[in-house]
C-alpha cells in the first residue's frame, strides 16, 4: 500500500520538493545514508525527466511519485505520461544533447547507472520508472 | 542548496566555480552564465564542479551546450571533478569522451591538449 504519494505539477522547482520528500521518507524507512544519497540523485533524475516530458506533452497533468515500503524493500515509482524511452545504446553521446534539450533516454541511462534495481514499465498512458533499494533489518517502516 | 556561480580569470582561462545543485530548476542560470561568458569573448572555460551537490541530465545538457558554444570559437571547456558519483554520470552517458576532466583547477588551467 502506498505510504507517501506526491502529485507534482510539472514545474522545475517541484523536482527539488520531490528530492526533499524522498530523502525524508528514505531516512524514516531506515535506508543507510549512502543509499539515501543515491535515492536523492535517482529520484531527482527521474522527476526531471518526467517534468520535462509533461511540460512538453501534458502541461496540465501532474507527475505522480509514490514511495512505499514493501517486503522487497523501499520502492520509488515516478509515473509520467510521456512515451517510453529506451536506454542509450552506442550512439554518439553528444548527439543525444540537441541544442539545449536532453533526450529523455539520457535520463534512463543515468538512472540505470545509478541504481542497481530499476525497471521501466510502459503502460497505456505513459511510463512508470520503478526504483528499488533493499532495506536493512526491518525495524520500522514508513508508516 | 541553491546554485552558486563565481568566475575568475587565470591566465587565458576563465574558471567558473559551480556550487550547489544543478537541476532542471537551476540549470538555466548556469546556461545563462556560460552564454554571457562566451558572448564577452571568454572562449577557454574551466568549470570547477568540486562543490556541486547534485547534477541531473538537464545539467549535462547545459554543459554540452556550453562546449558547443566555445567550440564555435575554437575554444575549450574543461571540467574539474573528483567526485565519484558525478564522474559515474559522465561515464554512463559517454561524456567522458566529450569533455576533458581534470583532478584540479591547476591541472585544467595548465592543460593544452
Amino acid at each position: 500500500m502506498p505510504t507517501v504519494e506526491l502529485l507534482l505539477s510539472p514545474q522545475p522547482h517541484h523536482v527539488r520538493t520531490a528530492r526533499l520528500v524522498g530523502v525524508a521518507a528514505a531516512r524514516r524507512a531506515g535506508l543507510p545514508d549512502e543509499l539515501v544519497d543515491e535515492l536523492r540523485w535517482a529520484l531527482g533524475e527521474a522527476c526531471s525527466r518526467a517534468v520535462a516530458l509533461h511540460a512538453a506533452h501534458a502541461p496540465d497533468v501532474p507527475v505522480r511519485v509514490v514511495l512505499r515500503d514493501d517486503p522487497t524493500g523501499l520502492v520509488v515509482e515516478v509515473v509520467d505520461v510521456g512515451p517510453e524511452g529506451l536506454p542509450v545504446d552506442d550512439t554518439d553521446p553528444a548527439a543525444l544533447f540537441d541544442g539545449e534539450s536532453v533526450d529523455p533516454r539520457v535520463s534512463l541511462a543515468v538512472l540505470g547507472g545509478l541504481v542497481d534495481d530499476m525497471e521501466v514499465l510502459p503502460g497505456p498512458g505513459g511510463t512508470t520508472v520503478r526504483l528499488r533499494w533493499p532495506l536493512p533489518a526491518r525495524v520500522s517502516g514508513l508508516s | 542548496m541553491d546554485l552558486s556561480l563565481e568566475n575568475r580569470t587565470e591566465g587565458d582561462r576563465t574558471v567558473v566555480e559551480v556550487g550547489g545543485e544543478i537541476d532542471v530548476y537551476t540549470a538555466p542560470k548556469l546556461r545563462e552564465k556560460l552564454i554571457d561568458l562566451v558572448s564577452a569573448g571568454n572562449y577557454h572555460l574551466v568549470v570547477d564542479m568540486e562543490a556541486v551537490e547534485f547534477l541531473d541530465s538537464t545539467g549535462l545538457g547545459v554543459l554540452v551546450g556550453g562546449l558547443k558554444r566555445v567550440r564555435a570559437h575554437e575554444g575549450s571547456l574543461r571540467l574539474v571533478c573528483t567526485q565519484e558519483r558525478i564522474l559515474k554520470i559522465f561515464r554512463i552517458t559517454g561524456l567522458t569522451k566529450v569533455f576533458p576532466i581534470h583532478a584540479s583547477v591547476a591541472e585544467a588551467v595548465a592543460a593544452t591538449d
Side-chain angles (χ1 to χ4, degrees), chain A residues 30-62:
Chain A
L31 202 65
D33 283 350
E34 193 186 317
L35 293 181
V36 170
D37 201 47
E38 185 175 292
L39 180 145
R40 180 176 74 96
W41 283 67
L43 178 56
E45 182 65 53
C47 287
S48 278
R49 171 184 177 278
V51 163
L53 284 169
H54 279 233
H57 299 286
D60 299 327
V61 180

Side-chain angles (χ1 to χ4, degrees), chain A residues 50-139:
Chain A
V51 163
L53 284 169
H54 279 233
H57 299 286
D60 299 327
V61 180
V63 172
R64 189 161 152 259
V65 179
V66 180
L67 297 109
R68 69 169 181 270
D69 175 358
D70 73 16
T72 65
L74 181 64
V75 178
V76 175
E77 289 180 346
V78 179
V79 184
D80 65 61
V81 299
E84 184 191 5
L86 297 172
V88 178
D89 51 23
D90 294 333
T91 50
D92 173 17
L96 293 165
F97 298 89
D98 176 26
E100 301 295 349
S101 68
V102 179
D103 190 308
R105 290 177 299 169
V106 174
S107 265
L108 295 181
V110 168
L111 284 167
L114 286 174
V115 184
D116 291 338
D117 189 344
M118 177 186 102
E119 295 171 272
V120 179
L121 309 167
T127 305
T128 297
V129 174
R130 182 183 293 157
L131 311 166
R132 194 191 313 267
W133 287 268
L135 286 168
R138 308 185 60 81
V139 180

Side-chain angles (χ1 to χ4, degrees), chain B residues 14-113:
Chain B
T14 302
V15 179
V16 185
E17 251 178 57
V18 186
E21 302 184 322
I22 310 175
D23 62 12
V24 67
Y25 178 55
T26 59
K29 292 177 199 163
L30 177 59
R31 177 185 302 135
E32 279 168 34
K33 172 64 109 182
L34 296 177
I35 290 173
D36 288 350
L37 287 171
V38 173
S39 301
N42 303 286
Y43 303 142
H44 292 282
L45 306 180
V46 172
V47 178
D48 179 359
M49 305 188 62
E50 290 296 71
V52 169
E53 294 168 4
F54 180 85
L55 171 72
D56 68 15
S57 56
T58 323
L60 294 177
V62 169
L63 292 170
V64 172
L67 181 67
K68 287 177 177 169
R69 282 199 173 80
V70 294
R71 280 190 177 162
H73 298 278
E74 296 181 352
S76 61
L77 195 161
R78 298 172 182 280
L79 302 176
V80 175
C81 181
T82 58
Q83 295 189 62
E84 186 49 39
R85 181 148 288 156
I86 295 178
L87 292 172
K88 190 173 180 183
I89 288 174
F90 278 94
R91 281 197 297 271
I92 294 162
T93 50
L95 290 175
T96 46
K97 293 176 234 157
V98 176
F99 288 103
I101 300 179
H102 301 275
S104 68
V105 170
E107 185 188 301
V109 168
T112 54
D113 56 327

